Amino acid sequence: MEKTRLTAVRVAQFACPTGKQQTFLRDAEVGSLALRATANGAKSYVFESKLGGKTVRITIGDPDTWTIPLAQAEARRLQTLVDSGRDPRAEKAATIAREQQARTAEEAAIARQRVIARDAWDAYCLEGKTNGTGRKPWGELHIRDHAAVSSRGGEKLKRGDGLTQPGLLSNLLDRPLVDLQPDLIEAWLVAERATRPTRTNLAFRLLRGFLNWCADQPAYQDLTNTKAHESRSVRSKLPPTNAKNDSLQRSQLKPWFAAVSRRGGLVTSTYLQCLLLTGARTNELAALRWTDVSFTWNTLELHDKVEGSRTVPLTPYVKALLLKLPTTKSPWVFASRSKSGHITDPSDTHNRALRDAGIEGLTLHGLRRSFASLAEWIKLPRGVVAQIQGHKPSATAEKHYIVREPDLLLLCHKRIERWMLKTADVLQPNMDNDRASSAAT
């Protein structure tokens, strides 16, 4: 087969003769290199050799891109592979595969950076509200906590002038999810714990639940590092948690009832008194509906975070308070103009009442603690108090053998109510014609 020394002029002038599909101009200097021209006018350098008795042909590239020296060098390289018994086509396929894999990895890295933590957070919160991330959907307080720590702020304050501040997790959630690594979480804890230790602890717990959820989701598990909250260095930066012991003392009952009765409207004042007299959790009492109240059977049906719901006694004074509330405009017992339709957080009113009464450091949850603590004065059985408040049984006998009827709970509950009201010099209603009193007589 005739070979010709390739030159720029010969390459430019070479063309496929009429009536042929393709023709080759073979290089005299590198025997395995040829210039191919096709009937449609296309040209390309090709490598052609023998491997195992079979022809191996590989396209090198377009003459407009490849110079003659570069094409010759590539042909020599490919011939070296053939001489060593390796198929250049397999080598080329492997190279293409590696390049594709590298491109895919690069694209994946770019895509990872585009997954913002807030997008995953929104999906997490939606799942929590709808189906729950545990045994049941989230409660209202849990939903509010997630909204508060993730808020970007900048909204007009409901009271006073100015704008709301960003939530504790806002800056973290605006970063790519893959950025939530131990060093970042540790730096965040150090910055926030100095000024807001209690809220920082809460925000960390919510962030921990979020990252654990992400680790179980196919869409986010490759982007999530659960060690971001598990590492010892991170946990060592958590603010210390001290158990609260705020509780009303016996001597504080009178000024507390007097101040709460003066402060706030009818709904807020009633709600605060009922918190103390029922020992209920703030959110479960706030979400009480009129359909949950039985004035006939003297019971309240509270939505319990432990058991789902529980029935507690409706004592005479609490009953008298509820009968004074409007019942026609809202399904909620403690109705308000909030988005939820019911009272949410009357801490401001309570704090003003505490200042009037000269009492310091009593939270709304402290009223629940006060119920259990003050019950010690009349020596109510702890199991009774725990059942009224919705605590889990703490002993085998309580869990499996003691069954208290509603009438018995009502009798016990009325004792603590009477004692509190008498101690506070609050006039007690004459409403003793209920089923429990009849049974006792």
Side-chain angles (χ1 to χ4, degrees), residues 11 55 127 129-130 135 176 179 261 278 287 302 315 354 411:
V11 169
T55 300
E127 177 72 13
K129 294 175 188 177
T130 308
R135 295 179 299 173
D179 283 0
S261 298
T278 63
L302 297 178
T315 50
L354 292 177
L411 284 172

Side-chain angles (χ1 to χ4, degrees), residues 370-392:
S370 300
F371 179 86
S373 301
L374 293 170
E376 295 286 322
W377 280 93
I378 59 172
K379 300 180 180 180
L380 276 185
R382 291 186 179 181
V384 170
V385 176
Q387 188 171 340
I388 292 172
Q389 291 194 285
H391 286 146
K392 286 185 176 181

Side-chain angles (χ1 to χ4, degrees), residues 100-139:
Q100 180 60 43
Q101 187 176 7
R103 283 195 298 272
T104 302
E106 183 179 359
E107 291 169 358
I110 294 174
R112 286 162 64 91
Q113 291 296 325
R114 290 175 181 166
V115 178
I116 303 302
R118 188 175 293 276
D119 295 334
W121 176 272
D122 290 342
Y124 169 64
C125 291
L126 180 61
E127 177 72 13
K129 294 175 188 177
T130 308
N131 303 314
T133 53
R135 295 179 299 173
K136 57 184 179 180
W138 293 353

Side-chain angles (χ1 to χ4, degrees), residues 1-5 14 20 22-35 46 48-50 55 57:
M1 186 177 294
E2 184 179 353
K3 297 183 178 181
T4 305
R5 181 174 175 271
F14 186 65
K20 286 190 174 183
Q22 64 179 3
T23 187
F24 295 89
L25 179 62
R26 303 190 182 278
D27 185 22
E29 185 175 340
V30 180
S32 57
L33 177 65
L35 177 66
V46 296
E48 188 174 297
S49 186
K50 293 286 186 179
T55 300
R57 182 180 293 167

Side-chain angles (χ1 to χ4, degrees), residues 49-61:
S49 186
K50 293 286 186 179
L51 179 63
K54 296 182 179 180
T55 300
V56 175
R57 182 180 293 167
I58 299 176
T59 300
I60 295 176

Side-chain angles (χ1 to χ4, degrees), residues 58-77:
I58 299 176
T59 300
I60 295 176
D62 192 301
D64 293 337
T65 304
W66 290 75
T67 64
I68 294 173
L70 286 177
Q72 290 172 334
E74 178 64 9
R76 290 189 181 99
R77 187 188 72 81

